[in-house]
Amino acid sequence: MTTMTLIQGNTALAASPTNDATDQGAAAMAMNDSSVGSGSAASVTAAPVPPSAQEPARAAAGRRSNEALVGVLKVVLPPLIGLAVFVGLWYLVSMTSPQLPGPAKTWASAVQLFADPFYQNGPNDMGIGWNILNSLQRVGIGFGLAALIGIPAGFLLGRFDFLNRMMSPIISLLRPVSPLAWLPIGLLVFKAANPAAIWVIFISSIWPMIINTAVGVQRIPKDYLNVARVLDLPEWKVFTKILFPAVLPYMLTGVRLSIGVAWLVIVAAEMLTGGVGLGFWVWDEWNNLNVEHIIIAIFVVGLVGLLLEQALVLLANRFSYEEK
Amino acid sequence: MEKFVQIEAVGQTFDTKKGKFVALRDVDLSIRQGEFIALIGHSGCGKSTLLNLIAGLTRPTDGALICDGREIAGPGPERGVVFQNHSLLPWLTCFDNVYLAVERVFAAKEGKAKLKQRTHDALALVGLTHAETKFPHEISGGMKQRVGIARALSMQPKVLLMDEPFGALDALTRAKLQDELMKICDATQATVVMVTHDVDEAVLLSDRIVMMTNGPAATIGEILSVDLPRPRNRLALANDPKYIAARAAVLEFLYEKQAHKEVLAA
């Protein structure tokens, strides 16, 4: 479920700029049409007085800056309206339910919170910056280990059909398990909260990387492998020049899905394990009944997740090659 | 050398879900050094199968193939292959696509500068010096195919194997590349085996045209020597009686002797 929504979210994100671009183009064309129409109408009515030579140039320049302005507005306006509607709804709900803080109150609290993000008053009271960094560190370690094992494993599964068929029942069985179900096993084995949280990240984020890498290896066009055979390339050249570049886009898709899962899971895991981190902070503020901070935490989690995702989208675009 | 490539009693059988499928049987052919051979036949007649056998991409079920005194046991850089769909690696520039092949063959004995020079030379030979830094998706289909030819030639292969190299190109580009290929072959004295289904191409380019019977169990039907002086000019040849006779012979083989059964029924 989570991966599904993530994918959909991404395509929506990816699709919106192109849509905007075509909209702009259409708008610009429509504007040109209308201006041409009005121009010709004007020349019909005002035929006896010839317009000065500079006037059309100035009009064109004005039209161009107008077009640019309209273009910017077309890009910026919809998300702004969306956010305004969201804040408005939030405000209305907070009016009817007095326990839920409104936008203004939350904003004031956030300003205060982010004024000093790195204070330390003992292990249970640390700045928001520390919480974010700690969560990121856990995700980094768990996700890094998963990539370290999952990507080579994916290559092996894709390359050797026997291995693939051997592992596929295990993967099919373990992949749908809810991430938090792994937490007790982690606590049991590692006898500490922090490694257990990292373990949960590891086990829940490894699957997309294994599966996507394996699919990528299986889908390498036969032509490329024939090139390798005809040139009789040594094995490591086959890997660096053909296998790896061909699989890279698939692999990065896996990495992107994985980091999304990891970031989703960390908050839940930290709620249960405690320590310093965004998840624990949310739970702590719930115990303090500091609802403003919980709302801020939700925004922070969303924003960091968005940034991670976008960073990987950029990375994927940088390394993906044009087909044929 | 009289028999540079020898194909002796070669047969190829594939195991399919429906049982054994005999693609080729009793193929015997000797190719001289510097000779240009065209393999022609209807689709499914096993001409690409034969080319893959010479390339070493597949092994024959019967018989043996010998190149320059050695049995062909697998693919090797002494037999350069130009694929039908160019098969350039999309993440490498034209230069790097060729360099990959050059490096494989010559890196053991030559320095980087020499390898780069060889790559430049190969691309210059097909007239693509200006496109060296471009990626395959940035150039036209004809240019891609030329890079494929440059890649195969850069390895200085003993035999150049081409699997319908111009089949996917428009007629004008195809003619241009055929002319270029003739020039390159004259300059390098390459031994070439080319699979084609284009009668004019076969007559224009080859010294001998090997005509294959229809599959399954295809074999060589006839071999036609094209006794036309080189360099050849497509315009001058259009009215040459020898050219017209050779063309008619191939057409007769394809559309009368080996006409498809469906065609006869229709």
Side-chain angles (χ1 to χ4, degrees):
Chain A
M1 265 313 257
T2 50
T3 53
M4 281 282 289
T5 48
L6 271 172
I7 294 171
Q8 283 164 0
N10 270 321
T11 48
L13 273 172
S16 60
T18 52
N19 281 346
D20 286 352
T22 50
D23 284 348
Q24 273 174 49
M29 274 171 64
M31 279 188 54
N32 278 338
D33 284 352
S34 66
S35 63
V36 166
S38 62
S40 59
S43 69
V44 168
T45 49
V49 189
S52 74
Q54 286 167 331
E55 224 167 72
R58 215 184 308 141
R63 206 189 309 142
R64 223 172 296 134
S65 69
N66 261 347
E67 272 172 35
L69 188 68
V70 168
V72 169
L73 281 181
K74 282 231 167 203
V75 174
V76 173
L77 215 52
L80 281 182
I81 294 174
L83 280 175
V85 168
F86 175 75
V87 172
L89 282 175
W90 175 15
Y91 177 75
L92 286 178
V93 173
S94 72
M95 292 290 280
T96 54
S97 153
Q99 278 153 330
L100 186 76
K105 211 173 155 198
T106 308
W107 178 255
S109 175
V111 168
Q112 204 184 354
L113 192 68
F114 280 98
D116 185 13
F118 290 105
Y119 73 87
Q120 292 203 29
N121 295 336
N124 282 336
D125 187 12
M126 290 168 88
I128 178 86
W130 290 117
N131 284 310
I132 295 173
L133 286 181
N134 271 278
S135 293
L136 277 175
Q137 189 197 18
R138 284 193 194 96
V139 165
I141 296 173
F143 167 78
L145 286 174
L148 222 57
I149 294 172
I151 290 171
F155 268 100
L156 288 176
L157 293 195
R159 196 85 184 80
F160 302 106
D161 192 46
F162 181 84
L163 268 182
N164 192 18
R165 276 186 284 170
M166 192 173 97
M167 294 304 293
S168 103
I170 306 176
I171 294 175
S172 309
L173 187 77
L174 297 186
R175 194 171 59 99
V177 172
S178 165
L180 291 185
W182 294 103
L183 189 61
I185 307 285
L187 287 170
L188 188 78
V189 172
F190 298 108
K191 311 227 180 320
N194 201 37
I198 291 170
W199 153 254
V200 171
I201 299 296
F202 168 83
I203 198 73
S204 52
S205 66
I206 196 169
W207 310 116
M209 286 191 278
I210 293 184
I211 292 166
N212 278 286
T213 308
V215 167
V217 173
Q218 283 162 353
R219 290 209 187 143
I220 293 179
K222 203 147 196 267
D223 292 345
Y224 300 159
L225 297 177
N226 269 342
V227 169
R229 289 186 62 203
V230 164
L231 299 185
D232 195 21
L233 293 176
E235 200 58 37
W236 65 276
K237 274 268 168 189
V238 175
F239 183 80
T240 55
K241 295 286 179 182
I242 295 177
L243 275 185
F244 191 75
V247 173
L248 198 61
Y250 289 90
M251 205 180 87
L252 284 174
T253 303
V255 167
R256 216 179 65 206
L257 293 175
S258 282
I259 201 121
V261 171
W263 190 246
L264 276 180
V265 168
I266 188 64
V267 176
E270 283 172 346
M271 278 185 174
L272 296 174
T273 59
V276 182
L278 280 172
F280 168 72
W281 188 62
V282 169
W283 199 245
D284 201 39
E285 298 300 3
W286 168 239
N287 286 334
N288 297 338
L289 275 179
N290 189 339
V291 186
E292 288 95 335
H293 281 186
I294 295 176
I295 294 172
I296 292 167
I298 288 171
F299 279 115
V300 167
V301 168
L303 203 65
V304 174
L306 185 71
L307 289 178
L308 284 176
E309 187 95 13
Q310 285 304 305
L312 281 162
V313 168
L314 280 181
L315 195 71
N317 288 343
R318 167 72 187 74
F319 283 108
S320 62
Y321 53 90
E322 201 92 14
E323 269 295 339
K324 305 252 152 139
Chain B
M1 197 179 296
E2 189 52 29
K3 291 174 176 176
F4 192 62
V5 179
Q6 275 174 275
I7 301 165
E8 290 173 350
V10 161
Q12 176 76 303
T13 310
F14 294 113
D15 286 317
T16 64
K17 278 175 190 162
K18 291 176 188 167
K20 286 201 184 304
F21 173 78
V22 182
L24 287 176
R25 63 175 170 83
D26 307 326
V27 177
D28 284 285
L29 183 67
S30 294
I31 301 169
R32 291 191 304 277
Q33 192 157 22
E35 196 174 23
F36 197 118
I37 297 279
L39 294 176
I40 198 165
H42 289 288
S43 48
C45 75
K47 47 194 195 295
S48 289
T49 309
L50 184 56
L51 197 82
N52 284 342
L53 283 170
I54 304 174
L57 286 169
T58 44
R59 305 278 295 125
T61 9
D62 299 301
L65 293 105
I66 294 158
C67 175
D68 198 15
R70 282 219 210 129
E71 181 163 15
I72 296 171
E78 81 276 8
R79 280 158 285 129
V81 181
V82 179
F83 295 95
Q84 187 172 5
N85 52 354
H86 68 77
S87 294
L88 300 180
L89 301 173
W91 44 84
L92 296 182
T93 60
C94 295
F95 183 90
D96 288 335
N97 264 292
V98 177
Y99 188 80
L100 192 66
V102 172
E103 196 185 24
R104 161 68 187 85
V105 180
F106 300 105
K109 335 171 250 226
E110 293 174 2
K112 271 237 162 80
K114 188 81 205 298
L115 298 180
K116 284 187 176 158
Q117 190 54 46
R118 278 182 182 279
T119 310
H120 289 305
D121 291 347
L123 283 163
L125 192 64
V126 295
L128 281 182
T129 303
H130 62 284
E132 279 184 351
T133 55
K134 293 221 162 88
F135 284 91
H137 67 89
E138 295 171 324
I139 59 177
S140 70
M143 288 164 83
K144 280 182 225 176
Q145 204 50 272
R146 270 146 73 184
V147 178
I149 294 170
R151 176 171 67 186
L153 286 174
S154 69
M155 302 188 288
Q156 298 201 332
K158 292 171 180 164
V159 186
L160 185 61
L161 305 169
M162 311 179 96
D163 189 359
E164 294 187 23
F166 311 136
L169 303 176
D170 66 90
L172 291 176
T173 312
R174 193 186 307 161
K176 192 158 172 276
L177 287 191
Q178 286 164 353
D179 290 343
E180 270 181 39
L181 181 63
M182 278 195 287
K183 270 188 214 146
I184 290 169
C185 288
D186 283 344
T188 58
Q189 288 298 310
T191 309
V192 183
V193 181
M194 175 194 248
V195 167
T196 182
H197 51 223
D198 181 335
V199 176
D200 287 299
E201 179 172 274
V203 178
L204 179 69
L205 298 178
S206 3
D207 297 310
R208 282 192 295 161
I209 301 174
V210 174
M211 292 174 266
M212 312 269 301
T213 64
N214 287 337
T219 188
I220 294 174
E222 281 176 33
I223 298 179
L224 178 78
S225 286
V226 184
D227 191 17
L228 292 166
R230 290 179 188 275
R232 294 174 184 172
N233 177 310
R234 68 174 67 244
L235 288 178
L237 285 176
N239 295 316
D240 187 309
K242 273 187 186 168
Y243 178 88
I244 293 168
R247 201 171 170 276
V250 179
L251 285 173
E252 189 197 8
F253 177 87
L254 288 177
Y255 296 110
E256 279 182 18
K257 295 176 193 167
Q258 293 297 325
H260 270 289
K261 287 189 183 94
E262 306 93 69
V263 179
L264 284 180

